[in-house]
Amino acid sequence: MTQTYTAPAGTRIGHVHLKVSDLERSIAFYRDVIGLEVMQRYGPQAAFLSAGGYHHHLGLNTWESLGGPRPPRHAVGLYHTAFLYPDRPALARALKRVLDAGVELDGAADHGVSEAVYFSDPDGNGIELYVDRPEAEWPRDAEGTLRMVNERLDLRALLALADSI
């Protein structure tokens, strides 16, 4: 009989490391649009960025990808990197910053458990910016099973929140 392994409570994803074609362009995007801080450069081919002074949430490198093309949209690989914001006003300010930078959104959704916006970085890597709802508000069926949804997110209302802060 095969025993199922369950990761211990408290386990989380620590960071994401992306192959990019142009390190300087990617640093500028993640610094100036997303708002991450450059924590360290690793020679001319890699950089480590974070929010809040952590050693790194995001690694960028050109070790195998310098000057490379964007992958086809339907290629296998990472779907998106998700950035969790502490509250709805913070997400609203982040969305405004993204739009002010001229970045085109790929989508936005209310998932019941969270509200999210989606777009891509200059290399076509998907990005999700989101905020969780309190767990007590998560949609569940009669048996208590989580029932996430994919409904329309009111971007105007979210952006109005950014303007009112």
Side-chain angles (χ1 to χ4, degrees), residues 17-38:
H17 208 116
L18 300 175
K19 296 190 301 184
V20 299
S21 64
D22 181 323
L23 184 62
E24 296 307 319
R25 179 183 69 183
S26 292
I27 289 171
F29 180 84
Y30 284 98
R31 181 193 60 219
D32 302 341
V33 176
I34 303 297
L36 299 180
E37 178 184 8
V38 176

Side-chain angles (χ1 to χ4, degrees), residues 91-114:
L91 176 63
R93 288 189 300 272
L95 173 59
K96 184 172 184 341
R97 186 176 177 148
V98 166
L99 295 175
D100 287 350
V103 176
E104 185 176 326
L105 295 184
D106 294 330
D110 180 338
H111 295 300
V113 297
S114 63

Side-chain angles (χ1 to χ4, degrees), residues 107-127:
D110 180 338
H111 295 300
V113 297
S114 63
E115 294 178 302
V117 295
Y118 303 92
F119 53 95
S120 296
D121 77 1
D123 288 297
N125 294 304
I127 297 172

Side-chain angles (χ1 to χ4, degrees), residues 2 7 15 21 49 65 79 94 97 123 131 138 150:
T2 303
H15 67 271
S21 64
L49 297 89
S65 55
Y79 190 71
R97 186 176 177 148
D123 288 297
V131 63
W138 292 359
N150 194 24

Side-chain angles (χ1 to χ4, degrees), residues 13-158:
I13 296 172
H15 67 271
V16 174
H17 208 116
L18 300 175
K19 296 190 301 184
V20 299
S21 64
D22 181 323
L23 184 62
E24 296 307 319
R25 179 183 69 183
S26 292
I27 289 171
F29 180 84
Y30 284 98
R31 181 193 60 219
D32 302 341
V33 176
I34 303 297
L36 299 180
E37 178 184 8
V38 176
M39 299 304 293
Q40 180 182 349
R41 293 187 68 121
Y42 191 75
Q45 295 181 313
F48 302 95
L49 297 89
S50 82
Y54 186 65
H55 57 81
H56 75 290
H57 291 104
L58 181 68
L60 304 170
N61 77 67
T62 58
W63 297 322
E64 300 171 343
S65 55
L66 181 63
R70 286 178 73 139
R73 185 163 179 84
H74 298 289
V76 297
L78 181 70
Y79 190 71
H80 65 240
T81 302
F83 294 88
L84 174 61
Y85 284 81
D87 53 39
R88 199 162 190 259
L91 176 63
R93 288 189 300 272
L95 173 59
K96 184 172 184 341
R97 186 176 177 148
V98 166
L99 295 175
D100 287 350
V103 176
E104 185 176 326
L105 295 184
D106 294 330
D110 180 338
H111 295 300
V113 297
S114 63
E115 294 178 302
V117 295
Y118 303 92
F119 53 95
S120 296
D121 77 1
D123 288 297
N125 294 304
I127 297 172
E128 174 186 2
L129 305 183
Y130 75 106
V131 63
D132 277 335
R133 286 195 170 89
E135 189 173 346
E137 296 176 17
W138 292 359
R140 297 185 182 276
D141 66 16
E143 288 80 40
T145 303
L146 187 62
R147 292 292 179 220
M148 292 176 53
V149 297
N150 194 24
E151 297 178 355
R152 184 182 160 280
L153 177 62
D154 186 345
L155 289 175
R156 283 196 176 109
L158 186 58

